[in-house]
Amino acid sequence: MNVLAIGCHPDDIEIACCGTLAKCVKRGDKVTVCHVANGNMGHEIIPPDELRDIRAKEAKAAGALAGIEVVTIDIGDLLLNGYDLAQRDKIVELIRKVQPDFIITHSPNDYMSDHLAVSRMVVDASFVASVPQYGTGGKAAVVPIFYMDTLAGMNFNPTEYVDITDEIDLKIEMLECHVSQLKWMRDHDHIDFAEFVRTCSRFRGLQCGAGYAEAFTQEYVWPKVVARRLLP
């Protein structure tokens, strides 16, 4: 299968669902991760242009650990707009190129505007991509969409779980590739974010009888529900 995970910032996928994506790779899937925003505002000291390049390299390094292709749409932080057709159409073209069997993205209950904009654009783009007369042509199937967990699981009631017990160490290793984020939080905010993510994965594991897990909900609309399991 072809799997497409569309996150907002370069570390969002590692936080929420890279264990699942690593399992997809292990079963033979082709996995593509896209970051819509470039993360250029994600530091108090490093200037945006420099940080943009740093975070792109960090994301590539993380993806390489699991055999995942990483691409970016490269929109500046805080500039995403869920109703911007030009931004949405970049996601349309991505979906047509990847031809996914399912898509993972942010929950519509996420905590900040850029994440919410990505969630909305992905849902819209997934249908627009199926209309061959739109834009530059070509089409993709209308496929299931899974929403990944929110930070600390706030306001998120899972309907599906993926056991990532065998992938938890890889997940944390991938997250640690984002040095510009995790080192700053350790040194200045006194937050061990890797431990934060590990703890959330353990909590989801407790909910489903696994050592560690990642949690999802599905977009329950016709025709995006199929009678077979797609998540690993």
Side-chain angles (χ1 to χ4, degrees), residues 6 149 162:
I6 304 177
D149 211 345
V162 175

Side-chain angles (χ1 to χ4, degrees), residues 125-142:
S126 68
F127 182 83
V128 175
S130 73
V131 181
Q133 297 293 344
Y134 182 83
T136 58
K139 64 178 294 186
V142 178

Side-chain angles (χ1 to χ4, degrees), residues 54-176:
I54 290 172
R55 298 199 69 183
K57 291 176 183 176
E58 292 172 345
K60 291 280 189 182
L65 290 175
I68 293 169
E69 181 180 1
V70 177
V71 299
T72 181
I73 292 179
D74 198 21
I75 299 172
D77 285 3
L78 306 179
L79 298 178
L80 276 68
N81 181 343
Y83 298 92
D84 186 311
L85 297 185
Q87 293 183 9
R88 183 203 67 185
D89 287 353
K90 292 179 180 179
I91 299 176
V92 169
E93 293 307 312
L94 172 71
I95 293 171
R96 286 174 171 173
K97 178 180 179 180
V98 173
Q99 295 288 313
D101 292 284
F102 66 91
I103 298 169
I104 299 173
T105 194
H106 290 285
S107 166
N109 293 326
D110 218 313
Y111 79 104
M112 61 95 71
S113 61
D114 281 354
H115 290 199
L116 297 173
V118 169
S119 181
R120 179 176 182 85
M121 285 192 288
V122 170
V123 169
D124 290 352
S126 68
F127 182 83
V128 175
S130 73
V131 181
Q133 297 293 344
Y134 182 83
T136 58
K139 64 178 294 186
V142 178
V143 299
I145 293 177
F146 294 94
Y147 297 125
M148 57 192 179
D149 211 345
T150 58
L151 275 180
M154 298 297 292
N155 197 29
F156 191 88
N157 293 313
T159 56
E160 296 205 42
Y161 295 87
V162 175
D163 184 344
I164 62 160
T165 305
D166 292 339
E167 290 76 30
I168 185 62
D169 290 337
L170 175 59
K171 175 183 175 75
I172 299 304
E173 186 180 2
M174 293 172 71
L175 181 62
E176 290 281 10

